[in-house]
Each structure stands twice: as structure tokens, then as C-alpha cells.
Amino acid sequence: MFEALGVGASAVADAPALASVDAIVIPGGESTAISRLLETSGMLGPLRRRIEEGIPAFGTCAGMILLAGEVLDGRPDQHQLGGIDISVRRNAFGRQVDSFETDLDVKGLDPPFHAVFIRAPIVERAGVGVETLASIEGYDGTRRAVLCRQGCRMVSAFHPELSGDPRLHEMFLTIAFDRDATVGTASRSRTNL
Ligand code: GLN
């Protein structure tokens, strides 16, 4: 998705690779497994440091869980990166069979964004500095956030890379690097994720 937007993207698997990027995506998957792998690979400390230092970060689904300050229904030994002031409930919509797709109204986007939720989390609490960009009716009928932003951090409870719609990746680049510019500026193409 980022390469299609003219931005270099590479997999980050060790500390030198982490040191070389200007922004990071924490992808979907399984937050408990990613947490354990961060620990066993020695990447947890370096990643926490880069987040403390202010690296722009986009967390999607499991990545949103990891980036959050607090997790509910997590494993007691699962690590939080603490990059955004939200509390997130894991598997908030149920099991794999309860995964779903929906057209989501997103602040600043028209038409709605087709969002794919796979064993998705939901935001239970968002701190005062956190902007909610989209929300959905949750497991108990209450509307809760599923797309949030705080400074140069963005999180989505769904998988934006599965819809073939680059608008949220574009939004992240705008948030991360050049808030006022339109997508496709020269500064973008020098950027490395
Ligand atoms: N349920 C997963 C978790 O707890 C997240 C699922 C996903 O990333 N699609 O990490």
C-alpha cells in the first residue's frame, strides 16, 4: 500500500533495521504472539525506545492492541508499547466466525471506508489527547472508537490493507510527515517505513 503511494517500505526484523526507518507500522496478526516475538528477538526495548522518542506509528488490529497503553482481556504477560493513550479490549466482537466487513464513516473521508474486522479489538477508553476518527456499535450496542489518532500515532481496529483503498495509509503519511501537504509530494518519496 505504501509503495503504491510512492513511499519505500521494508520489513523491520532487527534493531539496525528499526534504526533506519522514519515511521513504523505494527501490523495485524496476534498481539500475544507478536509480544512474545518482540521479547525473544530483543526488539521490545529498542521499539519502546523509538516510540518514546516519537517515531510515527500506525497500529492495525493486533498492532493497535500492542501500541495501546492498556489492554483488556489480554494475557497477563503480554507487553504494551504505550504509544497511544487508549484502553483496548481484545477480541471484542467474538471469535473468528464473528469477523465481519462494514462500510465505515471516517472523519474527513467521503465516501465511507470499507473495513475488514478480523477477531477485532475495540477501544474502551480514549484519553483526552486522542481523536476518534471512526466508531462502531460494539458488542453491547454502545458506540466505541475503531480508528483513532494521537499526534503522529494512528490505530485501527480493522485491517485497512485488505480493502484496496489507500486513503487511510495516505492519512497516516499526512499525519506522520507533512500534515498540510497533499499526498505525492517530493518529501514523501524520500521517506522510508
Ligand atoms: N485478536 C487478535 C489479537 O488479539 C488480533 C486479530 C488481528 O490482528 N486481526 O491480537
Side-chain angles (χ1 to χ4, degrees):
M1 295 294 278
F2 286 116
E3 279 171 357
L5 293 169
V7 173
S10 57
V12 169
D14 53 32
L18 179 61
S20 75
V21 293
D22 301 317
I24 187 130
V25 176
I26 320 272
E30 172 50 54
S31 59
T32 55
I34 299 172
S35 169
R36 193 171 318 152
L37 287 166
L38 282 172
E39 197 179 328
T40 55
S41 66
M43 288 290 284
L44 183 60
L47 185 53
R48 277 205 170 125
R49 266 193 297 285
R50 284 230 59 188
I51 285 173
E52 269 164 32
E53 287 162 10
I55 188 172
F58 188 10
T60 62
C61 203
M64 168 168 114
I65 297 170
L66 282 152
L67 212 51
E70 184 188 27
V71 64
L72 308 167
D73 293 340
R75 273 177 61 112
D77 60 351
Q78 110 173 65
H79 298 290
Q80 297 311 120
L81 296 168
I84 180 163
D85 182 19
I86 54 173
S87 303
V88 167
R89 185 172 304 281
R90 282 181 69 221
N91 302 332
F93 299 91
R95 302 161 66 99
Q96 183 72 25
V97 291
D98 302 307
S99 298
F100 62 98
E101 301 182 19
T102 190
D103 288 332
L104 204 60
D105 283 322
V106 175
K107 204 168 169 180
L109 294 190
D110 186 26
F113 188 90
H114 188 74
V116 180
F117 290 78
I118 304 170
R119 284 187 304 117
I122 205 163
V123 177
E124 292 274 350
R125 181 199 62 85
V128 282
V130 176
E131 185 184 8
T132 294
L133 299 171
S135 62
I136 199 172
E137 242 175 55
Y139 50 92
D140 59 357
T142 305
R143 274 198 99 73
R144 292 188 173 83
V146 289
L147 179 68
C148 292
R149 177 221 174 148
Q150 182 175 28
C152 61
R153 307 279 154 73
M154 195 169 137
V155 289
S156 69
F158 51 92
H159 282 256
E161 79 284 9
L162 295 181
S163 310
D165 180 341
R167 290 178 296 164
L168 291 183
H169 292 76
E170 256 170 34
M171 189 186 282
F172 173 64
L173 295 176
T174 304
I175 283 169
F177 299 117
D178 195 1
R179 290 178 190 205
D180 299 325
T182 52
V183 169
T185 60
S187 64
R188 284 281 158 60
S189 55
R190 288 200 302 272
T191 301
N192 234 339
L193 276 107

